[in-house]
Short mmCIF file of all heavy atoms in Angstrom, two decimals:
data_model
loop_
_atom_site.label_atom_id
_atom_site.label_comp_id
_atom_site.label_asym_id
_atom_site.label_seq_id
_atom_site.Cartn_x
_atom_site.Cartn_y
_atom_site.Cartn_z
N TYR A 63 21.75 -20.24 37.56
CA TYR A 63 22.73 -19.24 37.61
C TYR A 63 23.53 -19.20 36.16
O TYR A 63 23.92 -18.15 35.68
CB TYR A 63 23.80 -19.52 38.65
CG TYR A 63 23.40 -18.88 39.95
CD1 TYR A 63 22.55 -19.61 40.81
CD2 TYR A 63 23.71 -17.65 40.28
CE1 TYR A 63 22.20 -19.08 42.08
CE2 TYR A 63 23.34 -17.10 41.47
CZ TYR A 63 22.52 -17.82 42.43
OH TYR A 63 22.17 -17.24 43.60
N ALA A 64 23.72 -20.38 35.57
CA ALA A 64 24.32 -20.40 34.26
C ALA A 64 23.55 -19.63 33.20
O ALA A 64 24.20 -18.85 32.42
CB ALA A 64 24.51 -21.89 33.80
N VAL A 65 22.25 -19.77 33.14
CA VAL A 65 21.38 -19.13 32.21
C VAL A 65 21.36 -17.66 32.64
O VAL A 65 21.50 -16.69 31.76
CB VAL A 65 19.97 -19.64 32.18
CG1 VAL A 65 19.10 -18.88 31.31
CG2 VAL A 65 20.08 -21.14 31.71
N ALA A 66 21.25 -17.29 33.91
CA ALA A 66 21.21 -15.89 34.40
C ALA A 66 22.50 -15.18 33.98
O ALA A 66 22.45 -13.99 33.59
CB ALA A 66 21.03 -15.83 35.87
N ASN A 67 23.62 -15.87 34.11
CA ASN A 67 24.90 -15.24 33.73
C ASN A 67 24.96 -14.92 32.21
O ASN A 67 25.48 -13.92 31.76
CB ASN A 67 26.12 -16.17 34.15
CG ASN A 67 26.28 -16.22 35.64
OD1 ASN A 67 25.89 -15.36 36.33
ND2 ASN A 67 26.95 -17.22 36.01
N ALA A 68 24.36 -15.85 31.44
CA ALA A 68 24.28 -15.69 29.99
C ALA A 68 23.47 -14.45 29.64
O ALA A 68 23.67 -13.67 28.78
CB ALA A 68 23.88 -16.94 29.27
N MET A 69 22.31 -14.35 30.36
CA MET A 69 21.44 -13.23 30.23
C MET A 69 22.10 -11.94 30.46
O MET A 69 21.91 -10.90 29.80
CB MET A 69 20.15 -13.41 31.06
CG MET A 69 19.28 -14.55 30.59
SD MET A 69 18.03 -14.99 31.82
CE MET A 69 17.07 -13.44 31.99
N ASN A 70 22.88 -11.90 31.57
CA ASN A 70 23.58 -10.82 31.93
C ASN A 70 24.68 -10.42 30.97
O ASN A 70 24.89 -9.22 30.61
CB ASN A 70 24.19 -10.91 33.38
CG ASN A 70 24.85 -9.64 33.91
OD1 ASN A 70 24.29 -8.55 33.84
ND2 ASN A 70 26.10 -9.70 34.35
N PHE A 71 25.42 -11.39 30.46
CA PHE A 71 26.39 -11.13 29.46
C PHE A 71 25.82 -10.58 28.21
O PHE A 71 26.28 -9.63 27.59
CB PHE A 71 27.21 -12.47 29.13
CG PHE A 71 28.24 -12.28 28.14
CD1 PHE A 71 29.58 -11.95 28.48
CD2 PHE A 71 28.02 -12.50 26.79
CE1 PHE A 71 30.55 -11.78 27.62
CE2 PHE A 71 29.07 -12.36 25.84
CZ PHE A 71 30.35 -11.87 26.34
N TYR A 72 24.70 -11.12 27.80
CA TYR A 72 24.03 -10.55 26.61
C TYR A 72 23.51 -9.12 26.80
O TYR A 72 23.68 -8.26 25.96
CB TYR A 72 22.70 -11.46 26.30
CG TYR A 72 22.06 -11.08 25.08
CD1 TYR A 72 22.52 -11.36 23.76
CD2 TYR A 72 20.89 -10.28 25.08
CE1 TYR A 72 21.77 -10.96 22.69
CE2 TYR A 72 20.17 -9.95 23.98
CZ TYR A 72 20.62 -10.25 22.80
OH TYR A 72 19.98 -9.89 21.61
N HIS A 73 23.02 -8.87 28.04
CA HIS A 73 22.67 -7.48 28.37
C HIS A 73 23.80 -6.51 28.31
O HIS A 73 23.64 -5.34 27.84
CB HIS A 73 22.08 -7.41 29.85
CG HIS A 73 21.62 -6.12 30.30
ND1 HIS A 73 22.47 -5.24 31.04
CD2 HIS A 73 20.52 -5.38 30.10
CE1 HIS A 73 21.86 -4.16 31.26
NE2 HIS A 73 20.62 -4.20 30.76
N GLN A 74 24.99 -6.92 28.69
CA GLN A 74 26.19 -6.01 28.52
C GLN A 74 26.48 -5.65 27.13
O GLN A 74 26.99 -4.62 26.87
CB GLN A 74 27.35 -6.65 29.22
CG GLN A 74 27.20 -6.85 30.73
CD GLN A 74 28.25 -7.72 31.40
OE1 GLN A 74 29.12 -8.31 30.68
NE2 GLN A 74 28.27 -7.88 32.64
N GLN A 75 26.29 -6.66 26.21
CA GLN A 75 26.61 -6.41 24.82
C GLN A 75 25.44 -5.83 24.01
O GLN A 75 25.60 -5.06 23.05
CB GLN A 75 27.01 -7.68 24.15
CG GLN A 75 28.03 -8.45 24.90
CD GLN A 75 29.40 -7.73 25.09
OE1 GLN A 75 29.76 -6.94 24.30
NE2 GLN A 75 30.04 -7.97 26.34
N ASN A 76 24.23 -6.18 24.49
CA ASN A 76 22.97 -5.79 23.80
C ASN A 76 21.94 -5.37 24.82
O ASN A 76 21.05 -6.16 25.21
CB ASN A 76 22.42 -6.91 22.95
CG ASN A 76 23.44 -7.50 21.91
OD1 ASN A 76 23.58 -6.98 20.84
ND2 ASN A 76 24.26 -8.46 22.31
N PRO A 77 21.97 -4.15 25.39
CA PRO A 77 21.09 -3.69 26.40
C PRO A 77 19.67 -3.88 26.09
O PRO A 77 19.16 -3.69 25.10
CB PRO A 77 21.47 -2.31 26.50
CG PRO A 77 22.86 -2.07 26.00
CD PRO A 77 22.99 -3.07 24.82
N TYR A 78 18.94 -4.36 27.20
CA TYR A 78 17.54 -4.50 27.13
C TYR A 78 17.00 -4.15 28.57
O TYR A 78 17.78 -4.10 29.51
CB TYR A 78 17.07 -5.93 26.73
CG TYR A 78 17.70 -7.06 27.64
CD1 TYR A 78 16.99 -7.47 28.84
CD2 TYR A 78 18.81 -7.72 27.32
CE1 TYR A 78 17.47 -8.50 29.58
CE2 TYR A 78 19.36 -8.71 28.06
CZ TYR A 78 18.68 -9.13 29.27
OH TYR A 78 19.21 -10.10 30.09
#
Side-chain angles (χ1 to χ4, degrees):
Y63 274 91
V65 177
N67 289 339
M69 291 167 61
N70 186 49
F71 183 85
Y72 183 78
H73 178 267
Q74 292 171 356
Q75 311 300 326
N76 302 273
Y78 57 87

